[in-house]
């Protein structure tokens, strides 16, 4: 296996991990705000804070891994995206800045204000929308080369139905993934009222989620027929994705197997993102950056993979330790510790 | 034309982010050491004062770390957004240490979460304290790796460049470049020193405001010892850095010292002012000391700016940054030494108002010294972004929109700076130590005596 493929797999893995972990986090922020608005915060927010407090810093790390991985394995892609994403990227950072700090202010500064919760909830929906611009750009047609540098065609981006389909998909998926996870978590905590509300959220967001997925799928056919055709060849992956979606909805609807239901959600996104990613090959950025042409140098590729392996050897036991302390420790989850 | 304006704006935005980030990053690296030390002493001596101290520091620390995380994410992505050409070339080399830095931070973040949420949860006396060790190690390692990236930009090595393409890389040679050891040493020691100074200043401030008691006395003693030890180490690290510069980056040292002509037995110049025709006025000349500082030999030859190409000379105002850094560092050594001398030499009161006030101002001084030191180090390698290989102007983004990004971040940092200050003040005001002590240890007198 070549370094490019390994590098791509690593990048894909970071993207997937970020998609799941950040969605839980971003959606939880929105639900915390929504619960406050609808006066249900006394039921939900303790549960949400209890899950998020020890892990919120971890979320950002996967995002950082992704862009540093891009720099290491595909420096040219880093160049193109870096130049193009100046404004969307800055918006993402400002939103992450607002979100992270206000979360800490609210939770550790021992003051609960509606403004903080609003900023926290709203930024949680805008961040995925802004990040999804990166995916939109990768389909090609949004960049313009001029005088040896790269510029983003903003009008093109903002008036294109495809880019809005992606934004819609990003936001809806966040809410869907998050509601599913929190239902599972509430169930584990034995928190009946919270579980009920969250279950209704999960069911509510499942329909828009699948509609948005299909819309985005169809929108790609107009934006980038080549990618669309590649994806059609991988139809069975998307089929599996839909099956897992149905499984998740089924369990939630039947009010049982919440853990299995969340695993279904993860597999649903796993296959959808995998099919999307493989269909994207061999381009990282359509028409401009191909995987084979811009790969890293062998010595660096090896070093990065070693660092990656070593890092995981250190992280996985630590993550398991933390999960056992907070996520899977029944006493903690129930609020007794 | 665009490119030129955007270069200046990109530099300004990067500087602004870093100047802001340094405050939080330094605290993120240094404070865990003090928290851990306090908890350890508390467990050893079975003295709840120290443990309460660790808890109270942790509470404020978390809020600061939060801002450090988001500004750190910002500078990481800004490398791409503002310096795409630099990243395209150097990305081949620096992605490894960047990656490792993220792993180290991840490690720190995981255990910080665990540390904060497991007070009183374990049976073993030391179990909770052990969780603080990975936090210290993770914070320290992330400083090591990120500093090695900066060191690489100062003394790049471990790659072959053909035109604009890097054709071969030796990752470890690049990380272990000549600048790495002295920089890492200086960054770590100055972080611990600054955090000692900040926590000492907080304590001194409370003593001045609320009156002294046993709890504050213990806190001040602990923090002043840390400050003194690491101030001294920082000075040693500074000396190491000067020796490194004299050999590998003589133009930076020469610009900082207004050392125009290469000569043996060069003078060290303190303070003073440079006129428009490069004449030095009102400075203190310390004969032959620059030679000594550079090579440990009073008569060694120090390269002056006459040996540097005119368009490669760094701005000469970095002299002021250098002076301020050194002076403020010396102040920290002096004040902490004075406190400890008074403590052992019973004739003087180490809690006298003037000394306490001097300790209070040492915190902003130490932080300023850190900022000045970084400005000196960074501006001192102008015009290079990768010394000897790539100039700043060639590495920057060319976009007509950089000023929008600049404005966005300016607003963000002003907001965050204001809020974080307000929140921290409120946090400690709302929850004064006496109240917390009485809630937590109702049967014990405030300060740790058994009733």
């Amino acid at each position: 296996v070549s370094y490019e493929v390994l590098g791509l797999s690593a990048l894909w893995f970071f993207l997937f991990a970020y998609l799941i972990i950040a969605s839980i986090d971003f959606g939880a922020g929105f639900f915390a705000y929504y619960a406050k608005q609808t006066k249900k915060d006394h039921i939900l927010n303790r549960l949400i804070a209890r899950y998020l407090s020890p892990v919120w810093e971890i979320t950002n790390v996967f995002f950082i891994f992704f862009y540093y991985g891009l720099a290491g394995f595909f420096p040219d892609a880093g160049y193109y995206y870096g130049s193009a994403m100046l404004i969307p990227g800055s918006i993402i950072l400002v939103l992450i800045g607002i979100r992270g700090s206000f979360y800490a202010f609210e939770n550790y500064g021992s003051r609960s204000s509606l403004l903080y919760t609003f900023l926290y909830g709203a930024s949680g929906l805008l961040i995925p929308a802004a990040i999804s611009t990166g995916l939109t750009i990768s389909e090609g047609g949004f960049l313009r080369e001029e005088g040896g540098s790269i510029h983003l065609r903003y009008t093109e981006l903002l008036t294109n139905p495809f880019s809005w389909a992606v934004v819609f998909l990003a936001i809806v998926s966040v809410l869907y993934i998050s509601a599913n996870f929190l239902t599972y978590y509430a169930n584990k905590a034995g928190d009946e009222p919270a579980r009920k509300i969250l279950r209704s959220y999960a069911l509510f967001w499942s329909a828009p989620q699948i509609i948005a997925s299909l819309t985005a799928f169809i929108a790609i056919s107009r934006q980038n027929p080549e990618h669309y055709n590649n994806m059609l060849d991988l139809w069975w992956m998307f089929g599996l994705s839909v099956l897992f979606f149905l499984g998740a909805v089924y369990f939630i609807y039947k009010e049982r197997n919440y853990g299995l239901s969340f695993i279904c959600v993860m597999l649903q996104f796993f296959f959808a993102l995998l099919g999307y990613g493989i269909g994207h090959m061999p381009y990282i950025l359509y028409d401009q950056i191909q995987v084979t042409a811009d790969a890293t140098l062998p010595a660096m590729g090896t070093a990065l993979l070693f660092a990656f392996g070593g890092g995981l050897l250190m992280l996985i036991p630590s993550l398991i330790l933390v999960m056992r302390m907070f996520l899977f420790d029944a006493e903690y989850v129930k609020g007794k510790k | 034309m665009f490119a030129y304006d955007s270069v200046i704006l990109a530099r300004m935005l990067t500087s602004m982010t870093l100047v802001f980030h340094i405050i939080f990053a330094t605290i993120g690296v240094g404070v865990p050491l003090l928290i851990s030390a306090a908890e350890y002493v508390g467990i050893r001596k079975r003295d709840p004062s120290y443990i309460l101290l660790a808890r109270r520091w942790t509470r404020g620390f978390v809020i600061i770390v939060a801002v450090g995380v988001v500004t750190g994410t910002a500078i990481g992505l800004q490398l791409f957004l503002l310096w795409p050409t630099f990243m395209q070339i150097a990305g081949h080399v620096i992605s490894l240490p960047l990656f490792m830095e993220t792993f180290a931070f991840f490690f720190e973040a995981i255990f910080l979460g665990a540390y904060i949420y497991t007070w009183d949860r374990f049976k073993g006396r030391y179990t909770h304290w052990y969780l603080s060790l990975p936090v210290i190690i993770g914070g320290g390692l992330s400083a090591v790796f990120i500093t090695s990236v900066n060191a690489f930009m100062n003394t790049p090595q471990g790659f072959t460049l053909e035109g604009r393409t890097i054709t071969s890389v030796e990752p470890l040679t690049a990380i272990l470049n000549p600048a790495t050891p002295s920089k890492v040493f200086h960054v770590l020691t100055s972080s611990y020193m600054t955090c000692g100074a900040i926590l000492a200043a907080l304590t001194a401030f409370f003593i001045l405001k609320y009156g002294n008691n046993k709890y504050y006395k213990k806190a001040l003693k602990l923090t002043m010892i840390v400050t003194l030890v690491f101030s001294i180490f920082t000075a040693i690290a500074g000396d190491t850095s000067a020796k490194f510069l004299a050999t590998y980056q003589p133009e930076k040292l020469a610009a900082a010292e207004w050392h125009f002509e290469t000569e043996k037995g060069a003078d060290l110049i303190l303070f003073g002012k440079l006129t428009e025709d490069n004449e030095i006025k009102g400075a203190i000349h310390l004969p032959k000391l620059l030679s000594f500082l550079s090579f440990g030999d009073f008569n060694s030859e120090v390269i002056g700016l006459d040996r540097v190409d005119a368009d490669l000379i760094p701005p000469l105002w970095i002299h002021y940054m250098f002076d301020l850094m050194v002076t403020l560092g010396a102040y920290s050594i002096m004040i902490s030494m004075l406190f400890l001398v008074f403590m052992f030499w019973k004739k003087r009161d180490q809690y006298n108002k003037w000394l306490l006030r001097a300790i209070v101002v040492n915190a902003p001084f130490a932080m300023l010294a850190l900022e000045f030191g970084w400005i000196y180090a960074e501006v001192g390698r102008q015009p290079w972004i990768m010394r000897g290989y790539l100039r700043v102007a060639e590495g920057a983004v060319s976009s007509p929109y950089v000023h929008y990004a600049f404005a966005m971040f300016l607003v963000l940092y002003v907001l965050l700076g204001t809020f974080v200050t307000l929140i921290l003040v409120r946090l400690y005001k709302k929850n004064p130590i006496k109240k917390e002590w009485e809630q937590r240890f109702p049967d014990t007198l405030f300060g740790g005596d058994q009733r």
Side-chain angles (χ1 to χ4, degrees), chain A:
Chain A
V1 190
S2 58
Y3 292 114
E4 300 87 61
V5 175
L6 285 172
L8 265 186
S9 315
L11 281 186
W12 183 90
F13 169 77
F14 292 138
L15 197 62
F16 175 70
Y18 186 64
L19 175 84
I20 299 293
I21 296 169
S23 291
I24 296 176
D25 188 24
F26 293 152
F30 176 78
F31 292 134
Y33 171 69
Y34 182 73
K36 213 163 202 167
Q37 275 296 343
T38 51
K39 306 262 182 282
K40 286 176 188 153
D41 48 330
H42 58 286
I43 309 177
L44 282 192
N45 286 7
R46 222 176 67 89
L47 180 91
I48 291 176
R50 218 160 162 76
Y51 163 72
L52 281 183
S53 300
V55 300
W56 75 270
E57 286 175 88
I58 293 173
T59 313
N60 264 1
V61 179
F62 283 95
F63 183 49
I64 303 175
F65 273 142
F66 180 75
Y67 58 69
Y68 282 167
L70 194 68
F73 287 107
F74 308 100
D76 285 356
Y79 168 72
Y80 275 85
Y81 280 114
S83 312
M85 293 286 284
L86 177 68
I87 294 301
S90 297
I91 294 175
I92 294 169
L93 289 175
V94 169
L95 290 170
I96 289 180
I98 291 176
R99 187 185 155 76
S101 346
F102 284 86
Y103 176 72
F105 294 167
E106 157 138 10
N107 271 278
Y108 304 118
S110 59
R111 183 198 173 185
S112 212
S113 95
L114 194 63
L115 174 73
Y116 287 2
T117 326
F118 171 74
L119 288 171
Y120 186 62
S123 55
L125 292 190
L126 294 174
I127 293 170
I131 289 181
S132 62
T133 0
L135 287 182
T136 310
I137 292 173
S138 80
E139 298 297 335
F142 295 100
L143 299 184
R144 160 170 67 83
E145 243 175 311
E146 197 180 85
S149 55
I150 313 298
H151 299 280
L152 182 59
R153 300 159 72 175
Y154 286 97
T155 359
E156 190 79 7
L157 183 73
L158 293 175
T159 54
N160 191 310
F162 171 67
S163 46
W164 290 106
V166 175
V167 167
F168 179 54
L169 175 62
I171 293 179
V172 171
S173 303
V174 159
L175 295 170
Y176 168 72
I177 294 174
S178 186
N180 258 290
F181 177 81
L182 291 171
T183 312
Y184 159 71
Y185 195 70
N187 184 53
K188 202 160 169 77
D191 188 342
E192 195 56 22
R195 185 191 61 90
K196 270 197 179 136
I197 300 177
L198 289 162
R199 173 179 168 269
S200 69
Y201 292 169
L203 282 177
F204 178 84
W205 287 107
S206 57
Q209 204 287 317
I210 199 72
I211 292 170
S213 303
L214 294 173
T215 315
F217 193 83
I218 294 163
I220 288 183
S221 71
R222 293 220 172 162
Q223 187 62 34
N224 185 341
E226 192 183 335
H227 188 192
Y228 180 72
N229 287 329
N230 290 344
M231 289 197 334
L232 281 188
D233 291 341
L234 298 163
W235 61 271
W236 56 274
M237 282 202 185
F238 296 97
L240 276 176
S241 177
V242 173
L243 274 182
F244 283 116
F245 166 77
L246 294 174
V249 175
Y250 176 78
F251 289 130
I252 288 273
Y253 180 73
K254 287 280 178 191
E255 300 188 50
R256 62 187 167 91
N257 300 41
Y258 291 109
L260 200 58
S261 163
F262 187 67
I263 291 175
C264 283
V265 171
M266 285 202 279
L267 287 172
Q268 175 199 338
F269 282 89
F270 180 89
F271 282 108
L273 194 67
L274 194 62
Y276 169 86
I278 296 177
H280 212 290
M281 290 297 98
Y283 292 101
I284 291 187
L285 177 67
Y286 259 94
D287 295 344
Q288 261 137 340
I289 304 215
Q290 285 210 14
V291 166
T292 42
D294 310 290
T296 180
L297 296 156
M300 197 38 139
T302 321
L304 279 175
L305 291 174
F306 266 108
F308 185 43
L312 286 184
L313 275 183
M314 180 187 76
L315 285 186
I316 289 171
S318 334
L319 271 176
I320 291 175
L321 182 76
V322 168
M323 283 187 178
R324 283 182 48 179
M325 268 185 211
F326 299 110
L327 201 51
F328 300 117
D329 184 321
E331 298 287 297
Y332 175 81
V333 175
K334 286 178 184 152
K336 286 182 188 151
K337 270 186 186 170

Side-chain angles (χ1 to χ4, degrees), chain B residues 48-122:
Chain B
S49 306
Y50 287 101
I51 295 181
L52 193 58
L53 196 60
R55 282 182 101 118
R56 287 173 64 85
W57 283 341
T58 306
R59 226 171 284 150
F61 175 69
V62 179
I63 292 174
I64 299 217
V65 167
V67 181
V69 172
V70 296
T71 51
T73 311
I75 190 64
L77 195 57
Q78 278 179 357
L79 280 180
F80 292 85
L81 303 177
L82 299 171
W83 308 99
T85 314
F86 164 69
M87 282 307 275
Q88 188 179 22
I89 298 172
H92 282 286
V93 188
I94 61 174
S95 54
L96 179 69
L98 289 176
F99 228 62
M100 288 163 80
E101 194 262 345
T102 317
F103 270 120
F105 169 70
F106 202 168
F107 190 62
E108 182 191 357
I110 289 176
F111 282 97
L112 182 62
Y115 183 79
I116 299 166
Y117 285 92
T118 53
W119 291 96
D120 306 325
R121 206 172 135 178
F122 302 112

Side-chain angles (χ1 to χ4, degrees), chain B residues 9-37:
Chain B
L9 279 164
R11 284 182 60 189
M12 281 167 58
L13 179 47
T14 311
S15 318
M16 181 169 73
T17 304
L18 281 172
V19 163
F20 193 67
H21 177 62
I22 286 170
I23 301 172
F24 302 94
T26 304
I27 295 176
V29 170
V31 167
L33 183 82
L34 282 123
I35 292 176
S36 175

Side-chain angles (χ1 to χ4, degrees), chain B residues 111-255:
Chain B
F111 282 97
L112 182 62
Y115 183 79
I116 299 166
Y117 285 92
T118 53
W119 291 96
D120 306 325
R121 206 172 135 178
F122 302 112
K123 288 204 181 71
R125 285 165 69 211
Y126 284 99
T127 315
H128 177 257
W129 175 75
Y130 289 134
L131 289 173
S132 71
L133 301 180
V135 180
I136 303 177
I137 295 170
L141 279 180
S142 61
V144 170
F145 292 128
I146 208 67
T147 307
S148 80
V149 173
N150 180 270
F152 170 81
M153 291 157 83
N154 281 280
T155 50
Q157 65 171 33
F159 63 94
T160 337
L161 191 68
E162 279 170 25
R164 273 302 174 83
T165 322
I166 284 187
T167 51
S168 75
V169 184
E170 294 164 60
L172 287 179
T173 320
I175 294 185
L176 300 171
N177 62 74
T180 301
S182 56
K183 271 197 183 263
V184 164
F185 186 29
H186 205 145
V187 164
L188 285 178
T189 49
S190 58
S191 296
Y192 296 135
M193 161 192 148
T194 307
C195 292
I198 292 172
L199 296 176
L202 266 179
T203 315
F205 176 77
F206 288 137
I207 297 177
L208 284 168
K209 199 163 174 206
Y210 302 114
N212 209 348
N213 60 52
K214 279 196 163 172
Y215 173 84
Y216 289 145
K217 282 181 181 170
K218 289 171 189 167
L220 197 60
K221 189 173 142 195
L222 179 74
T223 47
M224 287 313 275
I225 291 174
V226 172
T227 312
L228 178 63
V229 170
F230 285 102
S231 301
I232 293 171
F233 274 123
T234 307
I236 299 171
D239 182 62
T240 322
S241 304
K243 292 188 169 41
F244 152 78
L245 285 179
T247 309
Y248 290 94
Q249 263 182 311
E251 75 279 8
K252 191 191 275 186
L253 190 65

